[in-house]
């Protein structure tokens, strides 16, 4: 065989000094300290120790969260920080991290969630907060986390798998990839998709996770507007009533059955209006209001039923509820006319944007949610909180450090790790200071250094 070229062979040795990878993790670690998350978690778990702990529990939990943000799917992932003590300082061992997770029992889980709320308030005040003059949309959805071994409360799921069925609530932040993780309820695998009590519980936790000035004020019109969005699993009278009591609007997917099919048949063509996108008309889709065509007496006053018909994409399988080759969907909302631009088409666009929660969950699964690594249920509950912490730290970093850089703010977690978290750097020491010098040949080196400085300026 004739060689037509050759690859330049580099001399390889294991004697490099003062060089670190994954240097961008220091940004998340500092953010956890600046927002008060470390201190608040210390206070939440202080009574679980008899004396002064060698490794503060808040630092241990946030270090695990930083490791999860880096891609760890087990407690052993904390070693990625321990291997770089020149940058991160003392880091707990895997066994210590496991013991701290075990301390988060049912009596302390609420305190851990409250600690996350404290950090969110400080992060929002530093520039990570949304525009409270607009509408805050909280998206609810459940997902399946498969267990590959015997774990407490793991059970058969409706998808004929085995594991857990957590219910999650994300605050929609369209300006970045991956919303903020407000709340999560770990449930056995056989938990129902439309269990109203669980939705009410997660709604309560999600509202408590918001800063006080962002929570709705029931009975008052001058407070922030908050909307709960879900698919048809959330469309229960109990959940709708809980939203109304909490001062939260709702937009729920509505089951399409023979009643809806008959209504569609009865609506004249003149009553259908073109559906819209954020930048214009949505081709091949129409919306109509059917509130007067169905009895909504059991739903909160002011509830409205909106229908949508759309030509399915080529090859899509039609169902018995589809009419004249059109795919029919429906949703229920209590938003009054005139609140959302675009009338019913605007309401339908807003509800359709609930689909973004699928991206949030997909990214959360790439950030520790794909695997619940512990056997005990309380430890896996703590792991879920760690995953939510990691999701928030990434979101706040993007919002504070890279808000004006779409390439970093809007990239998904795998790209964010590659571009920011895994950046290489060199450590130098001079004048009693440690200097982290980010690789100047890296495409985003200047943006990372600038973003780091922004976090310190906003919170330090």
């Amino acid at each position: 065989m004739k060689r037509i070229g050759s690859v330049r062979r580099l001399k390889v040795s294991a004697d490099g000094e003062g060089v670190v990878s994954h240097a961008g993790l220091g940004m998340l670690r500092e953010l956890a300290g600046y927002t008060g998350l470390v201190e608040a978690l210390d206070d939440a778990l202080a009574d679980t120790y008899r004396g002064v702990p060698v490794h503060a529990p808040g630092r241990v939990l946030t270090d695990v969260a930083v490791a999860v943000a880096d891609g760890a799917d087990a407690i052993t992932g904390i070693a990625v920080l321990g291997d770089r003590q020149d940058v991160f300082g003392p880091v707990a061992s895997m066994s210590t991290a496991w013991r701290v997770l075990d301390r988060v029992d049912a009596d302390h889980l609420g305190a851990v969630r409250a600690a996350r709320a404290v950090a969110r308030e400080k992060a929002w005040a530093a520039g990570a907060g949304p525009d409270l003059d607009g509408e805050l949309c909280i998206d609810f959805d459940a997902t399946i986390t498969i267990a590959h071994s015997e774990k407490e409360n793991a059970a058969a799921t409706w998808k004929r798998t085995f594991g857990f069925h957590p219910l999650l609530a994300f605050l929609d932040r369209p300006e970045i990839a991956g919303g903020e993780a407000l709340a999560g309820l770990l449930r056995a695998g056989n938990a129902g998709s439309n269990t109203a009590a669980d939705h009410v519980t997660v709604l309560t936790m999600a509202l408590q996770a918001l800063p006080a000035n962002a929570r709705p004020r029931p009975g008052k019109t001058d407070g922030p507007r908050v909307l709960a969005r879900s698919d048809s699993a959330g469309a229960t009278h109990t959940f709708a009533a809980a939203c109304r009591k909490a001062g939260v609007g709702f937009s729920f997917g509505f089951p399409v059955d023979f009643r809806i099919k008959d209504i569609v048949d009865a609506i004249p063509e003149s009553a259908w209006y073109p559906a819209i996108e954020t930048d214009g008309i949505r081709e091949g889709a129409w919306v109509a209001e059917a509130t007067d065509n169905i009895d909504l007496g059991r739903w909160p006053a002011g509830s409205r039923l909106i229908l949508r018909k759309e030509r399915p994409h080529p090859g899509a399988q039609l169902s018995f509820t589809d009419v004249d080759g059109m795919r029919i969907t429906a949703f229920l909302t209590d938003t009054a006319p005139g609140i959302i631009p675009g009338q019913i088409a605007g309401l339908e666009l807003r509800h359709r944007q609930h689909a973004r929660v699928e991206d949030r969950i997909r990214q959360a699964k790439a950030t520790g949610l794909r695997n619940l690594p512990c056997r005990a249920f309380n430890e896996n509950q703590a792991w879920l909180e760690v995953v939510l912490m990691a999701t928030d730290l990434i979101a706040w970093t993007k919002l504070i450090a890279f808000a004006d850089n779409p390439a970093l703010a809007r990239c998904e977690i795998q790209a964010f790790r590659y571009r920011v978290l895994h950046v290489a750097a060199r450590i130098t020491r001079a004048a009693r200071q440690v200097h982290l010098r980010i690789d100047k040949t890296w495409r985003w080196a200047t943006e990372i250094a600038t973003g780091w400085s922004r976090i310190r300026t906003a919170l330090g």
Side-chain angles (χ1 to χ4, degrees):
M1 178 178 178
K2 182 179 179 181
R3 297 182 64 182
I4 60 175
S6 62
V7 178
R8 181 185 176 191
R9 299 180 66 177
L10 300 175
K11 183 177 180 180
V12 180
S13 61
D15 55 0
E17 295 181 357
V19 181
V20 294
S21 60
H22 298 244
L25 293 180
M27 195 181 306
L28 302 185
R29 202 166 187 262
E30 285 190 20
L31 185 61
Y34 290 144
T35 57
L37 180 60
V38 174
E39 184 178 356
L41 289 171
D42 284 343
D43 294 340
L45 298 175
D47 64 346
T48 64
Y49 292 85
R50 293 182 179 179
V52 179
V54 175
H55 293 278
R59 176 51 71 190
V60 175
L61 283 179
T62 53
D63 278 351
V64 175
V66 170
V68 166
D70 190 52
D73 59 0
I75 302 172
T76 53
I78 198 173
V80 74
L81 304 180
D83 292 341
R84 293 160 180 80
Q85 293 199 19
D86 287 343
V87 179
F88 304 123
V91 176
S93 65
M94 184 274 288
S95 57
T96 299
W98 178 83
R99 286 193 293 269
V100 172
L101 284 176
D102 191 51
R103 292 176 185 273
V104 185
D105 54 18
D107 295 332
H108 293 86
L109 190 59
V112 169
R113 290 167 177 159
R116 293 181 49 238
V118 169
R120 189 182 317 280
E121 184 171 7
K122 291 187 178 180
W124 282 22
D131 180 8
L132 297 183
D133 291 333
E135 186 175 56
L136 302 181
C137 295
I138 304 177
D139 290 309
F140 295 79
D141 202 7
T143 188
I144 288 176
T145 299
I146 295 176
H148 297 282
S149 62
E150 289 290 340
K151 297 178 180 179
E152 186 179 1
N153 287 348
T157 73
W158 63 276
K159 284 192 174 181
R160 298 183 180 180
T161 55
F162 182 80
F164 300 91
H165 194 193
L167 180 62
L168 307 168
F170 289 86
L171 182 65
D172 189 28
R173 302 299 301 270
E175 62 268 43
I176 60 171
E180 290 187 65
L182 294 183
L185 179 66
L186 187 60
R187 308 182 298 170
N190 56 3
S193 297
N194 60 343
T195 304
D198 292 343
H199 280 80
V200 174
T201 298
V202 175
L203 172 67
T204 302
M205 292 192 300
L207 294 178
Q208 291 173 345
L210 294 174
N213 66 333
R215 297 172 189 168
R217 301 180 180 93
K220 298 182 179 180
T221 59
D222 59 344
R225 290 192 295 122
V226 180
L227 179 79
R229 291 191 301 204
S230 79
D231 55 20
S232 59
T236 63
H237 300 108
T238 300
F239 188 35
C243 289
R244 176 60 59 87
K245 184 177 180 180
V248 175
F250 60 81
S251 184
F252 301 151
F254 196 81
V256 176
D257 53 20
F258 284 111
R259 294 180 304 161
I260 302 300
K261 183 178 181 300
D262 293 339
I263 291 172
V264 172
D265 290 335
I267 296 178
E269 286 299 320
S270 60
W272 292 93
Y273 301 93
I276 61 174
E277 297 284 10
T278 55
D279 57 354
I281 300 296
R282 182 178 177 88
E283 296 295 333
W286 298 266
V287 296
E289 182 162 1
T291 304
D292 296 334
N293 300 76
I294 192 171
D295 181 12
L296 300 178
R298 296 181 61 191
W299 295 95
S303 295
R304 306 167 65 190
L305 181 65
I306 312 296
L307 305 181
R308 171 170 166 259
K309 65 178 182 180
E310 184 172 21
R311 295 192 186 98
H313 61 81
Q317 296 295 316
L318 299 178
S319 66
F320 71 93
T321 56
D322 295 326
V323 178
D324 294 332
M326 293 285 188
R327 176 63 43 83
I328 305 300
T329 57
F331 70 96
L332 192 75
T333 183
D334 65 344
T335 302
I339 300 296
I340 300 298
Q343 301 181 10
I344 60 173
L347 293 175
E348 192 276 331
L349 171 62
R350 183 188 66 174
H351 179 76
R352 197 180 341 127
Q353 289 169 342
H354 167 69
R356 288 197 285 245
V357 74
E358 300 291 342
D359 294 329
R360 314 308 186 218
I361 291 177
R362 178 171 49 80
Q363 293 196 67
K365 287 197 170 185
T367 314
L369 186 59
R370 190 176 304 280
N371 175 54
L372 297 176
C374 305
R375 188 184 186 283
F377 189 70
N378 74 293
E379 294 164 2
N380 282 327
Q381 284 180 315
W383 180 266
L384 176 58
E385 293 300 318
V386 165
V387 171
L388 303 184
M389 286 182 213
T391 301
D392 283 344
L393 289 174
I394 293 167
W396 299 337
T397 298
K398 290 180 175 181
L399 290 163
I400 297 174
F402 307 117
D404 60 346
N405 191 321
L408 298 179
R410 301 184 69 87
C411 67
E412 295 200 352
I413 183 59
Q414 292 89 343
F416 190 71
R417 288 179 186 136
Y418 168 74
R419 297 173 183 178
V420 177
L421 301 185
H422 293 177
V423 66
R426 184 165 62 90
I427 297 175
T428 62
R429 293 173 174 83
R432 297 183 180 181
Q433 285 190 332
V434 178
H435 193 170
L436 186 69
R437 299 179 181 274
I438 296 171
D439 179 9
K440 68 179 182 180
T441 66
W442 191 241
R443 183 186 304 178
W444 299 279
T446 301
E447 288 83 353
I448 294 171
T450 302
W452 211 318
S453 178
R454 287 176 178 174
I455 290 174
R456 290 176 171 178
T457 300
L459 286 157

